[in-house]
Amino acid sequence: AQSVTQPDIHITVSEGASLELRCNYSYGATPYLFWYVQSPGQGLQLLLKYFSGDTLVQGIKGFEAEFKRSQSSFNLRKPSVHWSDAAEYFCAVGGNSGNTPLVFGKGTRLSVIA
Amino acid sequence: KAGVTQTPRYLIKTRGQQVTLSCSPISGHRSVSWYQQTPGQGLQFLFEYFSETQRNKGNFPGRFSGRQFSNSRSEMNVSTLELGDSALYLCASSLGDRGVTEAFFGQGTRLTVV
């Protein structure tokens, strides 16, 4: 069965510092990977996705993620964090059939301090 | 282009009652998925509808049901509400055709059962 692990429940970074959020997945076939962000009381917004091709994908708001098949990882990065990036981040994996439900990790809450 | 619209945003119900939540997907999207989000369990898949047919179902009791109309709008119903049903219910829409496409989420309906 597919699964997603986000090892860090909560991360605190200083504004302007770099950020890396970890995501490990388990999936029997070619995974399709996503990162979503959720602000308090809101729905999920798609940051970026990996379907195939270049393993380094760029997303919105200056985020990027790198797919590493050998490590079953899809870590999210940002070179310089802004206070507005404080939110909860979810990694998700889906199948390649178009109708495989997304499986989400438990999320990582990001706090940003001045 | 309008996003995914969920109504109502907030609901308070009493144990034993039933509730109906509504989701209007992005125009042209034929797939609607429902997720339950709680602090303890995270995001859990309820079911997915595509072209008025349930295509996937998660591991929830039969008290949770849904349907999709010809205009792709979807409703989910929860009967005999329990305290544990208190959650944020998120709806996601996608094209739903073959091949993976990203899911776009609504703001959610916050259900509180008292």
Side-chain angles (χ1 to χ4, degrees), chain B residues 36-53:
Chain B
Q36 181 195 66
Q37 185 178 26
T38 58
Q41 299 298 317
L43 281 149
Q44 294 186 286
F45 172 73
L46 281 155
F47 30 65
E48 184 221 358
Y49 285 85
F50 177 76
S51 293
E52 302 180 66
T53 301

Side-chain angles (χ1 to χ4, degrees), chain B:
Chain B
K1 187 164 161 179
V4 180
T5 303
Q6 291 188 245
T7 56
R9 289 292 311 278
Y10 303 93
L11 268 177
I12 300 177
K13 290 287 189 179
T14 304
R15 262 186 311 175
Q17 287 186 313
Q18 72 150 12
V19 67
T20 299
L21 313 181
S22 178
C23 173
S24 293
I26 292 170
S27 177
H29 284 193
R30 294 192 293 164
S31 168
V32 173
S33 298
W34 289 89
Y35 291 83
Q36 181 195 66
Q37 185 178 26
T38 58
Q41 299 298 317
L43 281 149
Q44 294 186 286
F45 172 73
L46 281 155
F47 30 65
E48 184 221 358
Y49 285 85
F50 177 76
S51 293
E52 302 180 66
T53 301
Q54 188 180 85
R55 191 161 67 169
N56 281 294
K57 187 177 188 305
N59 189 26
F60 276 80
R63 299 185 297 107
F64 292 82
S65 62
R67 59 177 176 169
Q68 187 180 36
F69 302 95
S70 58
N71 62 357
S72 293
R73 189 177 72 85
S74 176
E75 290 180 347
M76 69 163 281
N77 184 78
V78 188
S79 62
T80 320
L81 283 165
E82 300 177 359
L83 294 179
D85 297 332
S86 295
L88 181 67
Y89 290 88
L90 292 164
C91 160
S93 85
S94 64
L95 290 170
D97 298 298
R98 290 191 178 277
V100 179
T101 58
E102 57 261 47
F104 296 87
F105 283 80
Q107 301 269 58
T109 294
R110 170 74 61 186
L111 172 64
T112 302
V113 182
V114 297

Side-chain angles (χ1 to χ4, degrees), chain A residues 16 19 55 70 79-80 88 101 108-109:
Chain A
L19 170 70
T55 57
S70 62
S80 177
E88 186 126 24
T108 297
R109 184 161 63 92

Side-chain angles (χ1 to χ4, degrees), chain A residues 85-96:
Chain A
D85 293 325
E88 186 126 24
Y89 292 79
F90 293 91
C91 181
V93 65
N96 62 356

